[in-house]
Short mmCIF file of all heavy atoms in Angstrom, two decimals:
data_model
loop_
_atom_site.label_atom_id
_atom_site.label_comp_id
_atom_site.label_asym_id
_atom_site.label_seq_id
_atom_site.Cartn_x
_atom_site.Cartn_y
_atom_site.Cartn_z
N GLY A 14 14.62 24.66 -3.31
CA GLY A 14 14.73 25.80 -4.42
C GLY A 14 13.32 26.00 -4.93
O GLY A 14 13.21 26.85 -5.86
N GLN A 15 12.22 25.56 -4.40
CA GLN A 15 10.95 25.75 -4.91
C GLN A 15 10.06 26.39 -3.84
O GLN A 15 10.11 26.00 -2.63
CB GLN A 15 10.23 24.52 -5.46
CG GLN A 15 10.84 23.91 -6.63
CD GLN A 15 10.15 22.69 -7.12
OE1 GLN A 15 9.54 22.02 -6.29
NE2 GLN A 15 10.19 22.34 -8.34
N PRO A 16 9.19 27.38 -4.27
CA PRO A 16 8.33 27.85 -3.26
C PRO A 16 7.22 26.86 -2.88
O PRO A 16 6.84 26.10 -3.64
CB PRO A 16 7.67 29.19 -4.00
CG PRO A 16 7.71 28.79 -5.40
CD PRO A 16 9.03 27.93 -5.67
N ALA A 17 6.77 27.04 -1.60
CA ALA A 17 5.67 26.11 -1.11
C ALA A 17 4.44 26.53 -1.82
O ALA A 17 4.30 27.78 -2.09
CB ALA A 17 5.50 26.27 0.44
N ARG A 18 3.48 25.72 -2.14
CA ARG A 18 2.21 25.90 -2.56
C ARG A 18 1.50 26.86 -1.58
O ARG A 18 1.52 26.57 -0.38
CB ARG A 18 1.35 24.63 -2.74
CG ARG A 18 0.01 24.99 -3.32
CD ARG A 18 -0.70 23.70 -3.60
NE ARG A 18 -0.04 22.93 -4.74
CZ ARG A 18 0.22 21.58 -4.70
NH1 ARG A 18 -0.05 20.92 -3.56
NH2 ARG A 18 0.71 21.02 -5.67
N PRO A 19 1.01 28.01 -1.98
CA PRO A 19 0.47 29.07 -1.11
C PRO A 19 -0.68 28.34 -0.21
O PRO A 19 -1.55 27.61 -0.91
CB PRO A 19 -0.09 30.19 -1.91
CG PRO A 19 0.04 29.62 -3.41
CD PRO A 19 0.90 28.52 -3.44
N ALA A 20 -0.70 28.63 0.99
CA ALA A 20 -1.71 28.02 1.90
C ALA A 20 -2.98 28.74 1.74
O ALA A 20 -3.37 29.76 2.47
CB ALA A 20 -1.25 28.09 3.34
N ALA A 21 -3.84 28.59 0.59
CA ALA A 21 -5.01 29.25 0.32
C ALA A 21 -6.03 29.16 1.53
O ALA A 21 -5.81 29.73 2.61
CB ALA A 21 -5.62 28.69 -0.83
N SER A 22 -6.84 28.31 1.57
CA SER A 22 -7.62 28.16 2.73
C SER A 22 -7.31 26.64 3.16
O SER A 22 -7.19 25.70 2.34
CB SER A 22 -9.24 28.22 2.48
OG SER A 22 -9.56 27.07 1.64
N GLY A 23 -7.02 26.57 4.52
CA GLY A 23 -6.47 25.29 5.04
C GLY A 23 -7.38 24.02 4.59
O GLY A 23 -6.84 23.07 4.13
N ALA A 24 -8.66 24.10 4.86
CA ALA A 24 -9.46 23.03 4.63
C ALA A 24 -9.62 22.64 3.02
O ALA A 24 -9.50 21.48 2.74
CB ALA A 24 -10.91 23.42 4.98
N LEU A 25 -9.58 23.68 2.21
CA LEU A 25 -9.51 23.46 0.75
C LEU A 25 -8.21 22.80 0.30
O LEU A 25 -8.32 21.86 -0.53
CB LEU A 25 -9.68 24.80 0.01
CG LEU A 25 -11.15 25.12 -0.56
CD1 LEU A 25 -11.16 26.35 -1.23
CD2 LEU A 25 -11.70 24.05 -1.42
N ALA A 26 -7.18 23.15 0.85
CA ALA A 26 -5.84 22.69 0.43
C ALA A 26 -5.76 21.22 0.98
O ALA A 26 -5.35 20.44 0.23
CB ALA A 26 -4.77 23.50 1.23
N ALA A 27 -6.32 21.02 2.27
CA ALA A 27 -6.34 19.60 2.67
C ALA A 27 -7.19 18.72 1.78
O ALA A 27 -6.83 17.62 1.56
CB ALA A 27 -6.83 19.55 4.16
N ALA A 28 -8.38 19.26 1.51
CA ALA A 28 -9.19 18.47 0.67
C ALA A 28 -8.63 18.21 -0.70
O ALA A 28 -8.68 17.10 -1.25
CB ALA A 28 -10.58 19.10 0.40
N GLY A 29 -8.01 19.18 -1.39
CA GLY A 29 -7.27 19.06 -2.51
C GLY A 29 -6.24 18.00 -2.44
O GLY A 29 -6.04 17.07 -3.30
N ALA A 30 -5.36 18.00 -1.41
CA ALA A 30 -4.37 16.98 -1.10
C ALA A 30 -4.94 15.63 -1.10
O ALA A 30 -4.28 14.70 -1.47
CB ALA A 30 -3.48 17.39 -0.01
N TYR A 31 -5.96 15.55 -0.33
CA TYR A 31 -6.66 14.23 -0.09
C TYR A 31 -7.09 13.69 -1.45
O TYR A 31 -6.90 12.46 -1.72
CB TYR A 31 -7.88 14.55 0.89
CG TYR A 31 -8.57 13.33 1.44
CD1 TYR A 31 -8.06 12.62 2.46
CD2 TYR A 31 -9.74 12.69 0.69
CE1 TYR A 31 -8.62 11.50 2.96
CE2 TYR A 31 -10.34 11.59 1.13
CZ TYR A 31 -9.88 10.97 2.40
OH TYR A 31 -10.42 9.85 2.74
N TRP A 32 -7.87 14.43 -2.29
CA TRP A 32 -8.23 14.07 -3.48
C TRP A 32 -7.05 13.65 -4.45
O TRP A 32 -7.13 12.67 -5.10
CB TRP A 32 -9.04 14.99 -4.19
CG TRP A 32 -9.48 14.70 -5.59
CD1 TRP A 32 -9.09 15.37 -6.78
CD2 TRP A 32 -10.06 13.48 -6.10
NE1 TRP A 32 -9.38 14.66 -7.87
CE2 TRP A 32 -10.06 13.58 -7.45
CE3 TRP A 32 -10.69 12.44 -5.40
CZ2 TRP A 32 -10.64 12.47 -8.27
CZ3 TRP A 32 -11.31 11.39 -6.19
CH2 TRP A 32 -11.26 11.46 -7.60
N ARG A 33 -6.02 14.36 -4.32
CA ARG A 33 -4.90 14.10 -5.27
C ARG A 33 -4.28 12.62 -4.80
O ARG A 33 -3.78 11.94 -5.58
CB ARG A 33 -3.74 15.06 -5.07
CG ARG A 33 -4.04 16.30 -5.95
CD ARG A 33 -2.80 17.28 -5.96
NE ARG A 33 -2.58 18.02 -4.66
CZ ARG A 33 -3.16 19.00 -4.26
NH1 ARG A 33 -4.07 19.59 -5.09
NH2 ARG A 33 -2.84 19.60 -3.15
N ALA A 34 -4.24 12.32 -3.49
CA ALA A 34 -3.86 11.04 -2.91
C ALA A 34 -4.75 9.98 -3.41
O ALA A 34 -4.30 8.86 -3.95
CB ALA A 34 -3.70 11.14 -1.44
N VAL A 35 -5.98 10.11 -3.37
CA VAL A 35 -7.04 9.15 -3.85
C VAL A 35 -6.83 8.84 -5.36
O VAL A 35 -6.78 7.78 -5.76
CB VAL A 35 -8.48 9.62 -3.61
CG1 VAL A 35 -9.55 8.66 -4.25
CG2 VAL A 35 -8.74 9.76 -1.99
N SER A 36 -6.73 10.03 -6.03
CA SER A 36 -6.56 9.78 -7.56
C SER A 36 -5.27 9.18 -7.95
O SER A 36 -5.19 8.39 -8.88
CB SER A 36 -6.85 11.17 -8.23
OG SER A 36 -5.81 12.05 -7.89
N ALA A 37 -4.21 9.46 -7.06
CA ALA A 37 -2.92 8.85 -7.44
C ALA A 37 -3.09 7.33 -7.21
O ALA A 37 -2.45 6.63 -8.13
CB ALA A 37 -1.86 9.38 -6.52
N VAL A 38 -3.63 6.80 -6.15
CA VAL A 38 -3.74 5.46 -6.02
C VAL A 38 -4.57 4.80 -7.08
O VAL A 38 -4.23 3.65 -7.57
CB VAL A 38 -4.24 5.18 -4.54
CG1 VAL A 38 -4.49 3.64 -4.40
CG2 VAL A 38 -3.33 5.69 -3.49
N LEU A 39 -5.67 5.48 -7.35
CA LEU A 39 -6.56 4.91 -8.38
C LEU A 39 -5.83 4.90 -9.73
O LEU A 39 -5.91 3.90 -10.40
CB LEU A 39 -7.82 5.92 -8.46
CG LEU A 39 -8.82 5.44 -9.62
CD1 LEU A 39 -9.44 4.14 -9.39
CD2 LEU A 39 -10.00 6.45 -9.63
N TRP A 40 -5.19 6.00 -10.13
CA TRP A 40 -4.48 5.95 -11.36
C TRP A 40 -3.48 4.85 -11.31
O TRP A 40 -3.36 4.26 -12.37
CB TRP A 40 -3.79 7.46 -11.43
CG TRP A 40 -2.88 7.47 -12.61
CD1 TRP A 40 -3.06 7.51 -14.03
CD2 TRP A 40 -1.40 7.02 -12.66
NE1 TRP A 40 -1.97 7.41 -14.66
CE2 TRP A 40 -0.93 7.22 -13.98
CE3 TRP A 40 -0.53 6.77 -11.60
CZ2 TRP A 40 0.40 6.83 -14.23
CZ3 TRP A 40 0.75 6.47 -11.84
CH2 TRP A 40 1.26 6.66 -13.20
N LYS A 41 -2.74 4.72 -10.32
CA LYS A 41 -1.66 3.66 -10.23
C LYS A 41 -2.20 2.28 -10.54
O LYS A 41 -1.74 1.46 -11.38
CB LYS A 41 -0.92 3.81 -8.91
CG LYS A 41 0.16 2.88 -8.60
CD LYS A 41 -0.29 1.51 -8.00
CE LYS A 41 -0.76 1.69 -6.61
NZ LYS A 41 -1.29 0.43 -6.12
N ASP A 42 -3.39 2.01 -9.82
CA ASP A 42 -4.02 0.76 -10.00
C ASP A 42 -4.53 0.53 -11.54
O ASP A 42 -4.34 -0.61 -12.02
CB ASP A 42 -5.17 0.50 -8.95
CG ASP A 42 -4.61 0.07 -7.66
OD1 ASP A 42 -3.50 -0.18 -7.50
OD2 ASP A 42 -5.44 -0.04 -6.80
N LEU A 43 -5.07 1.52 -11.93
CA LEU A 43 -5.64 1.42 -13.36
C LEU A 43 -4.55 1.24 -14.38
O LEU A 43 -4.60 0.30 -15.34
CB LEU A 43 -6.48 2.54 -13.78
CG LEU A 43 -7.76 2.79 -13.02
CD1 LEU A 43 -8.63 4.01 -13.33
CD2 LEU A 43 -8.71 1.54 -12.95
N ALA A 44 -3.61 2.06 -14.16
CA ALA A 44 -2.30 2.02 -15.22
C ALA A 44 -1.63 0.61 -15.07
O ALA A 44 -1.41 0.07 -16.15
CB ALA A 44 -1.40 3.19 -14.87
N ALA A 45 -1.44 0.18 -13.87
CA ALA A 45 -0.73 -1.19 -13.69
C ALA A 45 -1.67 -2.30 -14.28
O ALA A 45 -1.07 -3.18 -14.92
CB ALA A 45 -0.48 -1.41 -12.22
N GLU A 46 -2.93 -2.28 -13.98
CA GLU A 46 -3.85 -3.23 -14.54
C GLU A 46 -3.94 -3.22 -16.01
O GLU A 46 -4.02 -4.15 -16.76
CB GLU A 46 -5.16 -3.05 -13.88
CG GLU A 46 -6.30 -4.20 -14.34
CD GLU A 46 -5.76 -5.68 -14.10
OE1 GLU A 46 -4.97 -5.76 -13.18
OE2 GLU A 46 -6.21 -6.42 -14.84
N PHE A 47 -3.86 -1.85 -16.70
CA PHE A 47 -3.99 -1.78 -18.10
C PHE A 47 -2.88 -2.47 -18.70
O PHE A 47 -2.94 -3.00 -19.87
CB PHE A 47 -4.01 -0.22 -18.45
CG PHE A 47 -4.11 -0.03 -19.83
CD1 PHE A 47 -5.22 -0.23 -20.56
CD2 PHE A 47 -2.90 0.42 -20.44
CE1 PHE A 47 -5.22 0.16 -21.97
CE2 PHE A 47 -2.89 0.69 -21.96
CZ PHE A 47 -4.15 0.53 -22.66
N ARG A 48 -1.64 -2.42 -18.20
CA ARG A 48 -0.46 -3.01 -18.76
C ARG A 48 -0.45 -4.58 -18.45
O ARG A 48 -0.17 -5.32 -19.34
CB ARG A 48 0.79 -2.51 -17.93
CG ARG A 48 0.88 -0.92 -18.16
CD ARG A 48 2.16 -0.61 -18.92
NE ARG A 48 1.99 0.86 -19.29
CZ ARG A 48 2.40 1.77 -18.39
NH1 ARG A 48 2.77 1.58 -17.24
NH2 ARG A 48 2.30 3.00 -18.90
N SER A 49 -0.91 -5.02 -17.18
CA SER A 49 -0.60 -6.47 -16.95
C SER A 49 -1.99 -7.22 -17.21
O SER A 49 -1.88 -8.41 -17.72
CB SER A 49 -0.41 -6.61 -15.48
OG SER A 49 -1.48 -6.28 -14.72
N ARG A 50 -3.09 -6.61 -17.10
CA ARG A 50 -4.43 -7.22 -17.19
C ARG A 50 -4.64 -8.60 -16.52
O ARG A 50 -5.26 -9.36 -16.86
CB ARG A 50 -4.69 -7.51 -18.71
CG ARG A 50 -4.87 -6.26 -19.58
CD ARG A 50 -5.36 -6.49 -20.93
NE ARG A 50 -5.49 -5.37 -21.72
CZ ARG A 50 -4.50 -4.78 -22.48
NH1 ARG A 50 -3.36 -5.44 -22.49
NH2 ARG A 50 -4.74 -3.71 -23.11
N GLU A 51 -3.86 -8.65 -15.36
CA GLU A 51 -3.83 -9.85 -14.56
C GLU A 51 -5.12 -10.01 -13.96
O GLU A 51 -5.85 -11.15 -13.90
CB GLU A 51 -2.80 -9.95 -13.49
CG GLU A 51 -1.39 -10.20 -13.89
CD GLU A 51 -0.36 -10.15 -12.85
OE1 GLU A 51 -0.58 -10.31 -11.70
OE2 GLU A 51 0.76 -9.70 -13.28
N LEU A 52 -5.57 -8.90 -13.26
CA LEU A 52 -6.76 -8.98 -12.44
C LEU A 52 -8.11 -9.15 -13.19
O LEU A 52 -8.86 -10.09 -13.06
CB LEU A 52 -6.91 -7.68 -11.55
CG LEU A 52 -6.53 -7.69 -10.15
CD1 LEU A 52 -6.82 -6.28 -9.55
CD2 LEU A 52 -7.53 -8.74 -9.46
N LEU A 53 -8.16 -8.18 -14.21
CA LEU A 53 -9.40 -8.17 -15.01
C LEU A 53 -9.49 -9.48 -15.77
O LEU A 53 -10.63 -10.03 -15.88
CB LEU A 53 -9.45 -6.96 -15.95
CG LEU A 53 -9.92 -5.69 -15.42
CD1 LEU A 53 -9.79 -4.68 -16.46
CD2 LEU A 53 -11.42 -5.89 -15.05
N SER A 54 -8.51 -10.02 -16.33
CA SER A 54 -8.66 -11.25 -17.21
C SER A 54 -9.12 -12.43 -16.34
O SER A 54 -9.91 -13.19 -16.70
CB SER A 54 -7.42 -11.60 -17.90
OG SER A 54 -6.37 -11.55 -16.95
N ALA A 55 -8.46 -12.45 -15.05
CA ALA A 55 -8.82 -13.55 -14.13
C ALA A 55 -10.41 -13.41 -13.72
O ALA A 55 -11.10 -14.48 -13.74
CB ALA A 55 -8.02 -13.58 -12.94
N MET A 56 -10.74 -12.26 -13.42
CA MET A 56 -12.18 -12.09 -13.03
C MET A 56 -13.09 -12.31 -14.22
O MET A 56 -14.18 -12.95 -14.06
CB MET A 56 -12.32 -10.61 -12.58
CG MET A 56 -11.68 -10.19 -11.27
SD MET A 56 -11.72 -8.52 -10.93
CE MET A 56 -13.27 -8.14 -10.42
N LEU A 57 -12.77 -11.84 -15.25
CA LEU A 57 -13.68 -12.05 -16.51
C LEU A 57 -13.73 -13.53 -16.89
O LEU A 57 -14.88 -13.94 -16.99
CB LEU A 57 -13.15 -11.26 -17.61
CG LEU A 57 -14.03 -11.10 -18.86
CD1 LEU A 57 -15.37 -10.47 -18.41
CD2 LEU A 57 -13.39 -10.28 -19.90
N VAL A 58 -12.69 -14.20 -17.05
CA VAL A 58 -12.81 -15.67 -17.40
C VAL A 58 -13.48 -16.41 -16.34
O VAL A 58 -14.40 -17.23 -16.66
CB VAL A 58 -11.26 -16.14 -17.54
CG1 VAL A 58 -11.38 -17.70 -17.65
CG2 VAL A 58 -10.64 -15.60 -18.71
N PHE A 59 -13.19 -16.07 -15.11
CA PHE A 59 -13.96 -16.74 -14.07
C PHE A 59 -15.57 -16.45 -14.15
O PHE A 59 -16.32 -17.45 -14.09
CB PHE A 59 -13.45 -16.24 -12.65
CG PHE A 59 -14.04 -17.04 -11.55
CD1 PHE A 59 -13.66 -18.20 -11.06
CD2 PHE A 59 -15.24 -16.37 -10.76
CE1 PHE A 59 -14.27 -18.92 -10.03
CE2 PHE A 59 -15.69 -17.15 -9.73
CZ PHE A 59 -15.36 -18.33 -9.33
N SER A 60 -15.98 -15.25 -14.32
CA SER A 60 -17.34 -14.94 -14.40
C SER A 60 -17.85 -15.67 -15.65
O SER A 60 -19.10 -16.13 -15.47
CB SER A 60 -17.38 -13.32 -14.55
OG SER A 60 -16.94 -12.77 -13.45
N LEU A 61 -17.32 -15.57 -16.84
CA LEU A 61 -17.88 -16.23 -17.96
C LEU A 61 -18.04 -17.76 -17.63
O LEU A 61 -19.10 -18.33 -18.04
CB LEU A 61 -16.95 -16.08 -19.10
CG LEU A 61 -16.95 -14.63 -19.80
CD1 LEU A 61 -15.85 -14.45 -20.78
CD2 LEU A 61 -18.36 -14.40 -20.48
N LEU A 62 -17.09 -18.38 -17.02
CA LEU A 62 -17.11 -19.74 -16.76
C LEU A 62 -18.44 -20.05 -15.80
O LEU A 62 -19.14 -21.11 -16.06
CB LEU A 62 -15.85 -20.23 -16.08
CG LEU A 62 -14.82 -20.47 -16.98
CD1 LEU A 62 -13.44 -20.86 -16.32
CD2 LEU A 62 -15.07 -21.51 -18.12
N VAL A 63 -18.50 -19.26 -14.75
CA VAL A 63 -19.64 -19.45 -13.72
C VAL A 63 -20.88 -19.35 -14.46
O VAL A 63 -21.92 -20.21 -14.35
CB VAL A 63 -19.53 -18.51 -12.62
CG1 VAL A 63 -20.74 -18.50 -11.75
CG2 VAL A 63 -18.25 -18.67 -11.76
N VAL A 64 -21.06 -18.30 -15.30
CA VAL A 64 -22.31 -17.99 -16.14
C VAL A 64 -22.67 -19.30 -17.01
O VAL A 64 -23.71 -19.71 -16.96
CB VAL A 64 -22.26 -16.70 -16.84
CG1 VAL A 64 -23.46 -16.53 -17.80
CG2 VAL A 64 -22.20 -15.55 -15.92
N LEU A 65 -21.61 -19.67 -17.71
CA LEU A 65 -21.88 -20.84 -18.62
C LEU A 65 -22.28 -22.01 -17.90
O LEU A 65 -23.05 -22.78 -18.25
CB LEU A 65 -20.55 -21.05 -19.34
CG LEU A 65 -20.38 -20.08 -20.59
CD1 LEU A 65 -18.94 -20.44 -21.17
CD2 LEU A 65 -21.41 -20.33 -21.65
N ILE A 66 -21.43 -22.26 -16.69
CA ILE A 66 -21.80 -23.61 -15.96
C ILE A 66 -23.08 -23.58 -15.45
O ILE A 66 -23.81 -24.59 -15.51
CB ILE A 66 -20.66 -23.64 -14.89
CG1 ILE A 66 -19.32 -24.24 -15.43
CG2 ILE A 66 -21.22 -24.81 -13.84
CD1 ILE A 66 -18.16 -24.03 -14.57
N PHE A 67 -23.62 -22.43 -14.85
CA PHE A 67 -24.90 -22.42 -14.39
C PHE A 67 -25.92 -22.63 -15.61
O PHE A 67 -26.91 -23.31 -15.40
CB PHE A 67 -25.24 -20.93 -13.74
CG PHE A 67 -24.94 -20.92 -12.22
CD1 PHE A 67 -23.91 -20.25 -11.73
CD2 PHE A 67 -25.65 -21.69 -11.36
CE1 PHE A 67 -23.52 -20.21 -10.44
CE2 PHE A 67 -25.36 -21.77 -10.05
CZ PHE A 67 -24.35 -21.00 -9.54
N ASN A 68 -25.65 -22.00 -16.66
CA ASN A 68 -26.48 -22.09 -17.78
C ASN A 68 -26.80 -23.59 -18.24
O ASN A 68 -27.91 -24.05 -18.50
CB ASN A 68 -26.02 -21.26 -18.90
CG ASN A 68 -26.95 -21.26 -20.09
OD1 ASN A 68 -28.06 -20.83 -19.90
ND2 ASN A 68 -26.57 -21.52 -21.35
N PHE A 69 -25.65 -24.28 -18.31
CA PHE A 69 -25.73 -25.68 -18.73
C PHE A 69 -26.17 -26.68 -17.59
O PHE A 69 -26.77 -27.63 -17.84
CB PHE A 69 -24.35 -26.16 -19.43
CG PHE A 69 -24.05 -25.31 -20.70
CD1 PHE A 69 -23.06 -24.61 -20.79
CD2 PHE A 69 -25.06 -25.35 -21.75
CE1 PHE A 69 -22.75 -23.81 -21.87
CE2 PHE A 69 -24.83 -24.63 -22.82
CZ PHE A 69 -23.65 -23.93 -22.98
N ALA A 70 -25.62 -26.32 -16.44
CA ALA A 70 -25.95 -27.28 -15.35
C ALA A 70 -27.38 -27.38 -14.94
O ALA A 70 -27.97 -28.28 -14.55
CB ALA A 70 -25.09 -26.95 -14.14
N LEU A 71 -28.01 -26.13 -14.94
CA LEU A 71 -29.42 -26.02 -14.48
C LEU A 71 -30.45 -26.57 -15.44
O LEU A 71 -31.49 -26.98 -15.03
CB LEU A 71 -29.78 -24.66 -13.99
CG LEU A 71 -28.91 -24.18 -12.78
CD1 LEU A 71 -29.18 -22.69 -12.51
CD2 LEU A 71 -29.07 -24.94 -11.60
N GLN A 72 -30.17 -26.35 -16.77
CA GLN A 72 -31.05 -26.78 -17.78
C GLN A 72 -32.55 -26.40 -17.49
O GLN A 72 -33.47 -27.36 -17.37
CB GLN A 72 -31.03 -28.30 -17.75
CG GLN A 72 -29.78 -28.92 -18.34
CD GLN A 72 -29.55 -28.73 -19.76
OE1 GLN A 72 -30.44 -28.76 -20.72
NE2 GLN A 72 -28.34 -28.43 -20.28
N LEU A 73 -32.71 -25.22 -17.25
CA LEU A 73 -34.10 -24.66 -16.77
C LEU A 73 -35.03 -24.21 -17.96
O LEU A 73 -34.54 -23.94 -18.92
CB LEU A 73 -33.74 -23.46 -16.00
CG LEU A 73 -32.83 -23.66 -14.63
CD1 LEU A 73 -32.41 -22.38 -14.07
CD2 LEU A 73 -33.46 -24.58 -13.65
N ASP A 74 -36.18 -24.27 -17.59
CA ASP A 74 -37.18 -23.76 -18.38
C ASP A 74 -37.22 -22.21 -18.25
O ASP A 74 -36.66 -21.65 -17.37
CB ASP A 74 -38.62 -24.33 -18.29
CG ASP A 74 -39.15 -24.09 -16.85
OD1 ASP A 74 -38.86 -23.13 -16.28
OD2 ASP A 74 -39.90 -24.89 -16.46
N ARG A 75 -38.06 -21.49 -19.10
CA ARG A 75 -38.09 -20.02 -19.13
C ARG A 75 -38.44 -19.47 -17.77
O ARG A 75 -37.77 -18.54 -17.27
CB ARG A 75 -39.00 -19.53 -20.21
CG ARG A 75 -38.78 -18.03 -20.57
CD ARG A 75 -39.92 -17.63 -21.53
NE ARG A 75 -41.23 -17.81 -21.03
CZ ARG A 75 -41.85 -16.99 -20.17
NH1 ARG A 75 -41.22 -15.97 -19.68
NH2 ARG A 75 -43.09 -17.26 -19.85
N VAL A 76 -39.46 -19.99 -17.09
CA VAL A 76 -39.86 -19.52 -15.81
C VAL A 76 -38.90 -19.63 -14.75
O VAL A 76 -38.48 -18.77 -14.06
CB VAL A 76 -41.22 -20.07 -15.41
CG1 VAL A 76 -41.72 -19.59 -14.11
CG2 VAL A 76 -42.37 -19.73 -16.49
N ALA A 77 -38.29 -20.85 -14.74
CA ALA A 77 -37.33 -21.21 -13.68
C ALA A 77 -36.07 -20.27 -13.93
O ALA A 77 -35.40 -19.80 -13.00
CB ALA A 77 -37.06 -22.71 -13.85
N ARG A 78 -35.73 -20.02 -15.11
CA ARG A 78 -34.56 -19.21 -15.43
C ARG A 78 -34.81 -17.72 -14.90
O ARG A 78 -33.86 -17.19 -14.40
CB ARG A 78 -34.39 -19.14 -16.92
CG ARG A 78 -33.51 -20.20 -17.43
CD ARG A 78 -33.24 -19.90 -18.99
NE ARG A 78 -32.61 -21.28 -19.41
CZ ARG A 78 -31.89 -21.28 -20.45
NH1 ARG A 78 -31.56 -20.18 -21.13
NH2 ARG A 78 -31.41 -22.46 -20.94
N GLU A 79 -35.97 -17.26 -15.08
CA GLU A 79 -36.36 -15.91 -14.57
C GLU A 79 -36.09 -15.86 -13.03
O GLU A 79 -35.67 -15.04 -12.44
CB GLU A 79 -37.74 -15.50 -15.05
CG GLU A 79 -37.74 -14.92 -16.40
CD GLU A 79 -39.25 -14.60 -16.81
OE1 GLU A 79 -40.14 -14.53 -16.01
OE2 GLU A 79 -39.45 -14.45 -18.01
N ASN A 80 -36.50 -17.00 -12.39
CA ASN A 80 -36.52 -17.09 -11.02
C ASN A 80 -35.04 -16.98 -10.51
O ASN A 80 -34.89 -16.49 -9.41
CB ASN A 80 -37.27 -18.24 -10.49
CG ASN A 80 -38.85 -18.01 -10.66
OD1 ASN A 80 -39.24 -17.03 -10.81
ND2 ASN A 80 -39.53 -19.23 -10.75
N VAL A 81 -34.28 -17.81 -11.14
CA VAL A 81 -32.81 -17.87 -10.62
C VAL A 81 -31.83 -16.93 -11.18
O VAL A 81 -30.70 -16.85 -10.67
CB VAL A 81 -32.29 -19.31 -10.78
CG1 VAL A 81 -33.29 -20.36 -10.09
CG2 VAL A 81 -32.12 -19.65 -12.26
N ALA A 82 -32.23 -16.14 -12.21
CA ALA A 82 -31.29 -15.24 -12.93
C ALA A 82 -30.67 -14.34 -12.06
O ALA A 82 -29.37 -14.23 -12.08
CB ALA A 82 -31.96 -14.75 -14.12
N ALA A 83 -31.39 -13.62 -11.27
CA ALA A 83 -30.86 -12.60 -10.30
C ALA A 83 -29.82 -13.19 -9.32
O ALA A 83 -28.76 -12.81 -9.04
CB ALA A 83 -31.96 -11.96 -9.56
N GLY A 84 -30.27 -14.36 -8.93
CA GLY A 84 -29.13 -15.04 -7.98
C GLY A 84 -27.89 -15.46 -8.69
O GLY A 84 -26.80 -15.31 -8.11
#
Side-chain angles (χ1 to χ4, degrees):
Chain A
Q15 291 183 334
R18 182 176 289 136
S22 68
L25 261 181
Y31 189 84
W32 170 244
R33 281 191 289 278
V35 172
S36 62
V38 175
L39 177 61
W40 170 84
K41 182 268 295 173
D42 278 356
L43 296 183
E46 183 55 29
F47 180 75
R48 302 244 168 78
S49 70
R50 294 191 179 89
E51 277 179 36
L52 259 178
L53 272 178
S54 54
M56 290 168 74
L57 191 59
V58 169
F59 183 82
S60 297
L61 285 169
L62 285 174
V63 172
V64 169
L65 282 172
I66 287 167
F67 270 113
N68 185 50
F69 294 120
L71 295 175
Q72 294 285 330
L73 302 168
D74 60 29
R75 192 184 60 80
V76 178
R78 274 182 191 211
E79 279 180 13
N80 289 338
V81 300

